[in-house]
Amino acid sequence: NTRPFCKLRVQNVYTREEVKKWQRLEWVGKIPGADVKEVCGGYNCRHHLSWVSAPIAESLGRINQYN
């Protein structure tokens, strides 16, 4: 029951700049005008972003990029 947008991104590590790029994308369920950093996948999305320091992000593995 996860949107393709979320399924591709869950459990991965991203930079703040990468997350900002998601704002310009379109997908089913996206809430127009809402900040993706707050609503993630959109309507009824249960995902959330957890912000970590750069050293912790690096220790978790490769930082992902999709856009």
Side-chain angles (χ1 to χ4, degrees):
N1 294 352
T2 299
R3 291 184 179 96
F5 173 85
C6 294
K7 194 172 187 175
L8 288 172
R9 291 166 175 82
V10 72
Q11 297 297 318
N12 293 319
V13 179
Y14 301 94
T15 63
R16 187 178 305 268
E17 291 75 28
E18 178 67 18
V19 173
K20 286 180 185 178
K21 292 178 186 177
W22 298 348
Q23 195 67 42
R24 68 176 184 228
L25 302 177
E26 295 295 327
W27 62 88
V28 174
K30 182 178 181 182
I31 302 172
D35 188 342
V36 72
K37 293 186 302 294
E38 295 176 16
V39 299
C40 294
Y43 292 106
N44 296 319
C45 178
R46 294 183 179 187
H47 295 108
H48 67 277
L49 300 174
S50 297
W51 303 101
V52 298
S53 67
I56 290 179
E58 290 170 9
S59 75
L60 293 172
R62 194 180 118 237
I63 295 177
N64 296 281
Q65 290 191 339
Y66 281 98
N67 305 318

